[in-house]
Amino acid sequence: GQNTAMWWTPDSKKIVFYKFDDRGVEPFHLVTGWSGFNTTHYPEYYPKAGATNPAAELYVYDLASKKTTRIDAGGGREEYLFHVRATPNGEMLVNWTDRLQQHLKVLKMDLGTGKCALVVEERQKTWQSNKPGMRFLKDGHRFIWTTEKSGYTHYELRDLDGKLHNAITKGEFPCGRIQFVDEENGMVGFEANSSSKNPYFAQYHMARLDGSARSILTAERTMLNFIGRLSAVATMTRAYVERISHTSA
């Protein structure tokens, strides 16, 4: 969920904020003041499904110039603006989606002009995830994007200029959590439910960031079992040595 309506830029020179228009939105009646002597009736303007939505636009206020600029990211009653955040390089992003939540756009905001540039876009016939994973690399410009456009969860390498560099993973299986990113060697480690025998079995994978190769560490469980066996043997050997250390054997 979202519990704030304003966001400072990393340099604290500008603040991005919502402007709401609740006209036409029917009230949802609440009762407050339960800890007091009497309760209070409070109308919250909250739309039910299919009813009129509030319109929410984004603006930015510049502390130095004392100028307020509208962000050209939409903001009608049949769309949502949410998940405002800063990139590692200090650029400001916002997510846009339609009311049916089938169409997602990540927009980069120019806080000087109010214009927006498209970073990435996703569409689904049913429901599109609102906040796909966006893991930045060390340069703060490129990022690993979690996409579901194939019907499965996979990873892509993209950048803030809107360029798709390459798909990192592909196949008829969903990828899970990213465990590590090794930029020096161009590798990423992650979980994926890629077993053809048991789709609930998460296996460990490694792939190249440039998408040129992917491997399944199918031997991992065998190796862990082997190491566990060696550990048990070593423990038994140590116990035996300690037992005979005070003898002439």
Side-chain angles (χ1 to χ4, degrees):
Q2 183 168 302
N3 56 10
T4 184
M6 55 186 69
W7 303 264
W8 286 100
T9 56
D11 59 9
S12 298
K13 294 181 179 180
K14 298 181 176 70
I15 186 169
V16 180
F17 63 93
Y18 279 131
K19 178 182 178 183
F20 293 103
D21 182 357
D22 286 335
R23 289 175 295 183
V25 180
E26 295 294 327
F28 183 80
H29 298 282
L30 302 172
V31 175
T32 63
W34 290 100
S35 60
F37 189 73
N38 288 314
T39 57
T40 303
H41 170 246
Y42 172 71
E44 174 71 31
Y45 291 90
Y46 184 86
K48 294 293 187 70
T52 301
N53 254 350
E57 297 178 309
L58 281 176
Y59 285 78
V60 57
Y61 178 75
D62 188 308
L63 272 68
S65 66
K66 302 186 185 307
K67 179 183 178 182
T68 301
T69 303
R70 180 182 180 275
I71 302 297
D72 188 20
R77 298 185 185 275
E78 298 301 313
E79 54 190 338
Y80 301 118
L81 297 173
F82 60 100
H83 196 29
V84 175
R85 73 274 194 197
T87 71
N89 288 345
E91 297 178 284
M92 298 297 290
L93 305 179
V94 61
N95 286 14
W96 174 99
T97 189
D98 62 319
R99 189 171 184 178
L100 293 177
Q101 300 182 49
Q102 296 173 332
H103 183 192
L104 173 71
K105 292 187 285 188
V106 177
L107 304 172
K108 181 172 63 175
M109 298 179 281
D110 185 326
L111 302 186
T113 66
K115 296 185 180 298
C116 289
L118 181 66
V119 175
V120 61
E121 184 174 25
E122 295 268 342
R123 293 177 183 268
Q124 293 286 345
K125 293 181 179 179
T126 52
W127 181 79
Q128 168 63 43
S129 176
N130 287 330
K131 297 179 182 179
M134 193 174 188
R135 180 164 177 159
F136 281 91
L137 301 186
K138 292 178 181 178
D139 60 18
H141 183 66
R142 295 174 299 157
F143 58 89
I144 298 175
W145 174 254
T146 305
T147 177
E148 296 178 337
K149 61 187 178 186
S150 67
Y152 297 92
T153 305
H154 281 289
Y155 299 119
E156 297 175 337
L157 183 62
R158 292 181 167 270
D159 66 34
L160 289 174
D161 291 332
K163 179 181 178 181
L164 169 62
H165 290 260
N166 55 263
I168 298 174
T169 64
K170 59 183 179 180
E172 295 185 354
F173 59 87
C175 293
R177 293 176 298 175
I178 292 177
Q179 298 295 332
F180 74 88
V181 177
D182 181 355
E183 292 189 47
E184 183 177 350
N185 294 299
M187 300 295 294
V188 56
F190 58 96
E191 297 175 5
N193 295 79
S194 58
S195 172
S196 59
K197 296 181 179 179
N198 184 354
Y200 296 101
F201 176 49
Q203 300 187 92
Y204 201 81
H205 294 242
M206 292 183 66
R208 298 200 63 83
L209 283 170
D210 63 10
S212 61
R214 176 180 63 85
S215 62
I216 307 175
L217 302 184
T218 53
E220 180 188 16
R221 183 175 295 275
T222 301
M223 181 59 68
L224 287 174
N225 289 338
F226 178 66
I227 292 173
R229 176 62 178 170
L230 289 180
S231 176
V233 171
T235 300
M236 293 174 61
T237 302
R238 180 179 177 181
Y240 177 72
V241 170
E242 289 179 349
R243 189 176 304 169
I244 67 173
S245 60
H246 301 296
T247 69
S248 58

